[in-house]
Amino acid sequence: MKNLAQMMKQAQQMQSKMADMQAELERQEIGGQSGGGMVRVTLNGKGEMRGIKIDPALVQPDDVEVLEDLIIAATNDAKAKVEAHMAEEMQKLTGGLSLPPGMKLPF
């Protein structure tokens, strides 16, 4: 029974550490770019967009599709970096213990 109590205590500690990590990730900002840096997008650690910068040279009224594609590419680049950063932080938190395939933690 002592083992179960210790496991519960460890689970509570892990839950507390995860909450702290989630709060820290929300404060962090990670950028992505496309078009050689002509479009830059900033996301927080939860994947929420916080900013966008567009080089004025890209603003061509007759070629909006290129700009739209570059924004999507920059956002996807930033999101991939956020996910990699979250995975790295989670690995630190769990001591390298990996989750089963397909299982993700709520962020």
Side-chain angles (χ1 to χ4, degrees):
M1 203 60 171
K2 210 176 213 184
N3 240 357
L4 182 59
Q6 186 177 11
M7 282 177 44
M8 291 299 289
K9 185 177 179 181
Q10 287 175 338
Q12 288 174 337
Q13 289 173 341
M14 177 75 81
Q15 187 175 19
S16 175
K17 287 180 182 179
M18 284 183 66
D20 292 344
M21 183 184 77
Q22 286 176 332
E24 177 61 29
L25 284 172
E26 193 167 347
R27 287 188 295 273
Q28 293 180 348
E29 292 188 345
I30 300 171
Q33 63 179 350
S34 66
M38 295 182 84
V39 175
R40 296 177 186 271
V41 172
T42 304
L43 305 179
N44 71 6
K46 293 181 82 174
E48 298 165 336
M49 189 179 293
R50 293 294 185 208
I52 185 168
K53 297 285 184 200
I54 301 171
D55 186 316
L58 283 176
V59 183
Q60 303 287 331
D62 59 332
D63 201 6
V64 175
E65 288 180 26
V66 170
L67 182 56
E68 292 169 343
D69 290 343
L70 289 170
I71 291 170
I72 290 168
T75 303
N76 289 338
D77 181 46
K79 185 140 177 73
K81 290 176 181 177
V82 165
E83 289 172 356
H85 182 71
M86 278 180 25
E88 183 180 309
E89 291 299 311
M90 184 55 74
Q91 193 164 27
K92 288 179 192 174
L93 181 67
T94 62
L97 177 68
S98 60
L99 296 173
M103 183 176 175
K104 291 187 177 183
L105 295 172
F107 284 102

